Amino acid sequence: MSAETLSRPLRLNAVSLPAALPGVAVPAYDRDRLTVGVVHFGPGAFHRAHQAFYFDRLLARDPRWGICAVSLKNPGVRDALQPQDGLYTLAQLDAETTFRVVGSIVEVLVAPEDPPAVFARLAAPMTRMVTLTVTEKGYCLTGDGQLDVAHPDIVHDLANPREPVSAVGYIVEGLRRRFMAGLAPYAVVACDNLADNGWRLKAAVTAFAQSVDPALAAWIEAQARFPRTMVDSITPATDDALRARVEAATGLADAWPIQREAFTQWIVEDVLGPPSANGDAPDLASVGVTLTDDVRGFERAKLRLLNGVHSTIAYAGLLKGHETVFEAISDPDLARLAEDLMVQDIIPTLTAPRGLDLAAYGQAILGRFRNPEIRHLLAQIAWDGSQKLPFRILGTVADALAAGRPVDRLALPLAAWMHFVRRRAAKGVAIVDPVADRLVATAAACAGDAAADVAQFLKLEPVFSRELAGNAVFVAALVKAYGELG
């Protein structure tokens, strides 16, 4: 055996885990006693940083909630985690970074390689929950939120319902097998940031099932639970620098560690039922999940306070030459703008759902922005502005106008976005946006006069409604902000 081989660290797995360096948190339960209670579709970085983390904490109290992770296409996660017995390291990035080995994933399957194994897990009596992080496009929905029967995967699955390729197809086939076996349906918990995600998924699943068996669809409609949810935690991509950092901190080599900010939030509509020793619902509240009857209230607060201010400092920060969120929020002028927007302009438009202190939530968001361990690029946040701004900023503008409050400060991020588009187009830099061609054409029509330039942008109806574009108070504030930033 060579000296190089002897110097290599042990690969993280069940055997090497006791060799982890002091200070590394390891599973506080016997993994050999775990049973699979959750099937998860889409075990990417966010799932492993988020839902798997919560279940890892829950398993210390209740061993019934181990996870079978199912990749719908790519074997990468399986190939990385199988030699590690499903173990991986989570680095929680804060002023002091901590490292935790997560043990909640007890099995990883690749659906196209072994559909019977996936179906067996879905139909197993011990499986009580199916969760998903498949991105918005993975739900195969139309623009108005209905099942897209023209989507190639749905076309395939409707023609071959016993051999699905989509998440919707697998969920329906799993439910059909439970229906035929006389088992209760599993709860289906969508964990992608899609408004009313649970309701939309239930409608898609029921519509698909209606084509398979109307009796199955009626059973799903009557008995299956699809709670709406909201999830939040910044999860930067894994790179070699993280692998090296994890190896140094744990003493073990990890093929695919995960990193995220210390802040994490999981809001779940309280329809799963009370947890009990023999019940179907996990005690998620005991590990920090917020159960609520007002998911929309939390979504609205996040969209306006977090995402709205994110976009504000992205466009304003780029205009001032900053590159990251941390750099931008370290700029005293931008920090003051962010806080004033929250306190004076955004919070007055919100009604706090039970359990949420809006002022404290706003301060927590500013604290997250100031995390030096998170390198979040402003240019990335600036992508797709035409799609984001109507929800992140313009809803707040409309509410403020309706209440007779000033909108001068709220006009700043919109004006900054206009300058961002104009400058990018002038330099020939690609604009990442679904309507990039229209944005470039709009920028080309700008001549530097604030009123005339703003008028050009206000013609973009995908962004600005006719009502807003015709509101004299709003237009005046926008022209003023555009001139000040120019």
Side-chain angles (χ1 to χ4, degrees):
M1 185 177 293
S2 68
E4 180 183 356
T5 301
L6 288 172
S7 66
R8 288 177 184 168
L10 296 170
R11 176 78 174 268
L12 172 64
N13 56 39
V15 174
S16 66
L17 184 59
L21 293 175
V24 177
V26 299
Y29 47 86
D30 182 355
R31 296 183 80 229
D32 291 334
R33 294 182 57 243
L34 302 183
T35 55
V36 171
V38 182
V39 173
H40 179 84
F41 288 104
F46 188 81
H47 166 68
R48 284 177 280 148
H50 194 268
Q51 297 88 34
F53 160 79
Y54 284 100
F55 281 109
D56 184 64
R57 297 179 65 191
L58 181 62
L59 288 169
R61 310 175 184 199
D62 188 343
R64 299 175 301 160
W65 301 101
I67 300 171
C68 169
V70 179
S71 296
L72 287 168
K73 292 183 172 65
N74 195 319
V77 174
R78 189 272 316 276
D79 294 346
L81 296 191
Q82 195 171 63
Q84 299 182 179
D85 301 312
L87 297 168
Y88 61 93
T89 311
L90 172 63
Q92 297 180 85
L93 310 176
D94 208 340
E96 181 180 349
T97 297
T98 60
F99 299 87
R100 178 191 190 101
V101 176
V102 176
S104 54
I105 295 178
V106 299
E107 181 179 48
V108 183
L109 300 175
V110 181
E113 294 182 9
D114 196 355
V118 179
F119 295 139
R121 282 300 185 194
L122 291 172
M126 290 299 294
T127 298
R128 298 175 174 88
M129 181 177 287
V130 170
T131 56
L132 302 90
T133 48
V134 293
T135 74
E136 184 173 339
K137 65 182 179 181
Y139 293 83
C140 301
L141 304 178
T142 60
D144 60 357
Q146 304 301 308
L147 180 68
D148 185 359
V149 296
H151 190 288
D153 288 353
I154 300 302
V155 170
H156 171 277
D157 289 0
L158 288 172
N160 307 275
R162 307 291 184 269
E163 301 173 1
V165 297
S166 71
V168 169
Y170 268 101
I171 289 168
V172 172
E173 176 58 13
L175 287 169
R176 186 193 70 83
R177 294 184 180 218
R178 298 179 78 89
F179 179 57
M180 297 301 293
L183 295 171
Y186 38 65
V188 183
V189 184
C191 300
D192 290 283
N193 274 323
L194 172 68
D196 294 330
N197 50 15
W199 289 2
R200 294 188 187 213
L201 181 56
K202 182 174 184 178
V205 165
T206 305
F208 188 106
Q210 184 69 34
S211 298
V212 175
D213 178 356
L216 171 64
W219 177 74
I220 293 171
E221 179 67 39
Q223 297 194 35
R225 293 157 295 170
F226 289 74
R228 293 173 295 174
T229 71
M230 190 194 84
V231 297
D232 188 16
S233 194
I234 297 171
T235 306
T238 297
D239 54 19
D240 288 340
L242 175 64
R243 291 184 178 92
R245 186 177 187 183
V246 165
E247 184 177 307
T250 67
L252 300 171
D254 187 340
W256 205 334
I258 300 297
Q259 59 184 336
R260 67 158 166 78
E261 62 176 329
F263 178 93
T264 183
Q265 187 178 43
W266 191 6
I267 311 297
V268 178
E269 188 176 16
D270 193 7
V271 298
L272 295 175
S276 65
N278 298 311
D280 291 333
D283 189 3
L284 294 175
S286 70
V287 291
V289 177
T290 300
L291 303 180
T292 182
D293 57 1
D294 187 12
V295 174
R296 282 184 175 177
F298 282 91
E299 286 178 338
R300 188 181 179 94
K302 179 191 174 219
L303 191 66
R304 295 190 175 188
L305 282 170
L306 173 64
N307 300 130
V309 177
H310 234 172
S311 288
T312 298
I313 62 175
Y315 295 120
L318 287 168
L319 288 183
K320 296 191 73 174
H322 299 304
E323 186 178 4
T324 67
V325 170
F326 175 71
E327 290 176 12
I329 204 66
S330 299
D331 182 319
D333 292 336
L334 293 180
R336 190 178 311 110
L337 171 62
E339 186 157 11
D340 288 348
L341 265 178
M342 285 182 171
V343 174
Q344 299 182 43
D345 300 301
I346 300 174
I347 288 178
T349 71
L350 298 171
T351 299
R354 180 170 50 87
L356 180 62
D357 181 326
L358 291 171
Y361 180 54
Q363 289 303 312
I365 289 170
L366 294 174
R368 295 168 68 186
F369 292 167
R370 296 187 181 103
N371 187 340
E373 291 289 332
I374 299 293
R375 181 175 170 77
H376 204 168
L377 296 176
L378 299 178
Q380 184 178 5
I381 300 167
W383 293 349
D384 302 328
S386 72
Q387 306 296 297
K388 294 174 178 176
L389 289 174
F391 300 100
R392 296 183 173 194
I393 300 292
L394 290 172
T396 305
V397 169
D399 286 350
L401 289 169
R405 288 193 294 270
V407 294
D408 300 78
R409 204 165 15 245
L410 288 165
L412 286 169
L414 301 167
W417 170 69
M418 294 175 182
H419 280 295
F420 166 79
V421 169
R422 185 177 60 82
R423 293 183 182 185
R424 288 277 172 129
K427 294 179 181 178
V429 178
I431 297 172
V432 181
D433 197 290
V435 296
D437 291 344
R438 289 193 63 185
L439 295 179
V440 171
T442 298
C446 293
D449 177 78
D453 288 1
V454 166
Q456 291 293 332
F457 277 98
L458 289 175
K459 295 177 184 177
L460 294 166
E461 286 194 28
V463 184
F464 301 101
S465 68
R466 291 185 181 182
E467 182 179 6
L468 269 181
N471 186 292
V473 173
F474 173 62
V475 173
L478 203 48
V479 170
K480 178 173 180 284
Y482 187 92
E484 291 174 350
L485 294 177

